[in-house]
Amino acid sequence: MNTTSVWRGTAPEAAFPTLQEAISADVAIVGGGITGVTLALNLVEEGISVVLLEARDVGFGSTGNSTGNLYETVSRGVHRIVDRWGSDVAHAVTTARRSAVDQIEQRVRQFDIACGFRRCRLHRYATSENAQASVKNEYQASREAGLPAHLEKTLPAPFAPPHGSVLVLENQAQFHPQAYVRELARQAAAKGCLIFQNSMVLEVDTDQRVVRTVNGTVTAREIVFATHTPKGVHLVQAEMIANREYGLATPIAKNAFPPGIFWGSGVARLSVRNVEVDDAAFLVCVGEEHKTGQEDAILSLDRLETAASAHFDIREIAFRWSAQNYSAADGLPYIGRDATDCFIATGFETDGLVYGTVAASLIRDLIAGRDNLFAPIVKASRFAPLKGAKGIAEETASVLKSLVKDYVTDGDKISLSQLMPGNGAIVKVENESLAVYRDKNGALFAVSPVCTHMKCKVHWNGVETSWDCPCHGSRFSPDGSVLEGPAVEPLQRKLLKA
Ligand SMILES: Cc1cc2nc3c(=O)[nH]c(=O)nc-3n(C[C@H](O)[C@H](O)[C@H](O)COP(=O)(O)OP(=O)(O)OC[C@H]3O[C@@H](n4cnc5c(N)ncnc54)[C@H](O)[C@@H]3O)c2cc1C
Ligand code: FES
């Protein structure tokens, strides 16, 4: 299945070279999503020299595969933060996020970025009777967190009448995330930041402060993992869960759909918006979240199409995609220095276009030697087993269940001859379990199914043609190379005898 997001399919390319030399800078940033690129620009504006290394191309990760909504609240509900951390912390979160949305707007104006930035309303509503209480609960929590939320009774056409009240937040925003981040990267480069694409970091020597790619090295006094989840084995991974979510975009007539952020909760949990790119307009629907590597990706995408069709007139699907998010058990992101004195920025859930911008200001301040009021709240070294205990226990149980299932039953094993073109499966070959993909022309790719991060067993993802690890979200191509997640080493390649 060809999967490209509406954002990556409609944004101009950004050309940057591959790292081929040994260079040095004040700061090495690993990762060219919104976090890395915004930080790079923030730092060069301070006169701090920066090298940014991106494994593929700018926006390749979740940034270019998101929904492009910008809001001061959080999508899973600010009530989680109020309940766990209190209204002062929740207020600090919404204040930092409001400021980040304003910063994005300023950047759009400053560089005249053609990314369709617009202010709009956010609507949170129930799609079924039993979700009504959660909307009311979230309204109370929003007020406690200092958000100017109010309740209304209706939604604009073509939405069906909601069950109960609609929570509305004015003055939120939307943009085209891929167009924004690519232009921001160009602006950072114009100000002296060295940006390299197709330059995957394979090794980080935290003692010597050296970052290595296949053809080059960067020596830097500060190293930032803007890789969505830190690379390698890290304490925060024990507290986070990796989820995948699906998106589709269907062509619509211009002005056929009202502007705004629409979050339906209940039987159908859908995030819906429209987008206009040049002469075309699309309705974007995002949903069907599940833990990475723990559900059938093709069925999940089918379910999203069914749910979207139940509510909207979906005749043709122009773009389908999927992307990852990482949620922390205690509901706050991790931003700051880790145990090796590198910076990390992770645990953004589905709110990281804004949290990534928050992180870019916070890390800039710490590198520049300035205080940042938000830093103690989201510090990466926090570990709150009491506050997060329930979440940790549930997630650990889920991961263990997956491990046990894999190692006892060995997954859905089939024989090599049963493996159809375009499919992947765990196959037993001469008493060895292999992760085998047969491409459309019949060619076979075999790799070890043991994830190189911490040895869980990978699962086939038929939507994105990848091997996905259920434990911490590492994903690999059929040839074993790392696509995303904490793993650094590729899956071990295996030879199949003809
Ligand atoms: C379906 C979906 C919808 C979402 N919608 C929204 C939304 O509407 N609003 C919102 O605020 N948030 C949203 N999010 C969350 C948001 O997209 C992410 O939190 C955010 O994009 C993270 O940005 P990032 O720069 O930290 O990571 P990424 O965008 O993932 O960038 C990380 C980059 O690091 C690179 N990288 C990884 N490993 C290496 C390596 N070894 N060497 C070099 N480079 C490497 C990757 O290639 C990637 O480009 C959504 C998430 C999902 C899954
Ligand atoms: S991602 Fe951690 S074991 Fe695979």
Side-chain angles (χ1 to χ4, degrees), residues 270-475:
L270 274 184
S271 171
V272 186
R273 62 164 291 187
N274 72 349
V275 56
E276 294 184 0
V277 191
D278 302 327
D279 289 336
F282 301 92
L283 176 67
V284 174
C285 299
V286 172
E288 286 302 325
E289 184 181 57
H290 65 75
K291 289 170 188 163
T292 301
Q294 299 197 32
E295 298 259 346
D296 185 309
I298 292 178
L299 290 182
S300 300
L301 193 52
D302 281 351
R303 278 197 295 268
L304 174 65
E305 294 184 18
T306 306
S309 303
H311 293 271
F312 310 107
D313 184 16
I314 304 217
R315 293 179 196 181
E316 175 202 340
I317 297 180
F319 298 96
R320 291 179 175 84
W321 69 96
S322 168
Q324 194 134 304
N325 72 70
Y326 297 88
S327 53
D330 67 12
L332 292 177
Y334 293 98
I335 308 170
R337 285 191 192 275
D338 69 2
T340 63
D341 218 21
C342 296
F343 284 95
I344 65 168
T346 189
F348 293 165
E349 302 196 336
T350 50
D351 309 309
L353 298 174
V354 177
Y355 273 142
T357 307
V358 170
S361 298
L362 190 160
I363 297 173
R364 184 251 343 257
D365 287 351
L366 299 192
I367 288 177
R370 286 197 294 269
D371 284 342
N372 181 293
L373 291 176
F374 197 53
I377 294 173
V378 291
K379 68 180 178 206
S381 58
R382 92 176 174 272
F383 194 68
L386 283 178
K387 288 179 189 288
K390 186 165 175 286
I392 292 171
E394 280 169 7
E395 298 312 342
T396 307
S398 158
V399 166
L400 281 177
K401 206 171 99 198
S402 160
L403 278 172
V404 171
K405 183 176 142 237
D406 283 345
Y407 281 112
V408 175
T409 69
D410 229 356
D412 306 319
K413 272 200 320 281
I414 60 166
S415 72
L416 204 51
S417 59
Q418 290 171 299
L419 186 62
M420 302 304 286
N423 279 319
I426 307 293
V427 174
K428 200 105 174 184
V429 182
E430 292 176 357
N431 282 334
E432 188 182 13
S433 278
L434 299 179
V436 184
Y437 168 63
R438 190 189 292 277
D439 77 8
K440 295 232 159 56
N441 303 318
L444 291 167
F445 297 79
V447 290
S448 161
V450 180
C451 174
T452 55
H453 180 235
M454 289 176 78
K455 300 200 180 327
C456 292
K457 192 165 281 185
V458 295
H459 290 230
W460 179 242
N461 172 343
V463 169
E464 295 167 280
T465 319
S466 62
W467 294 106
D468 297 359
C469 180
C471 288
H472 313 101
S474 290
R475 297 182 53 247

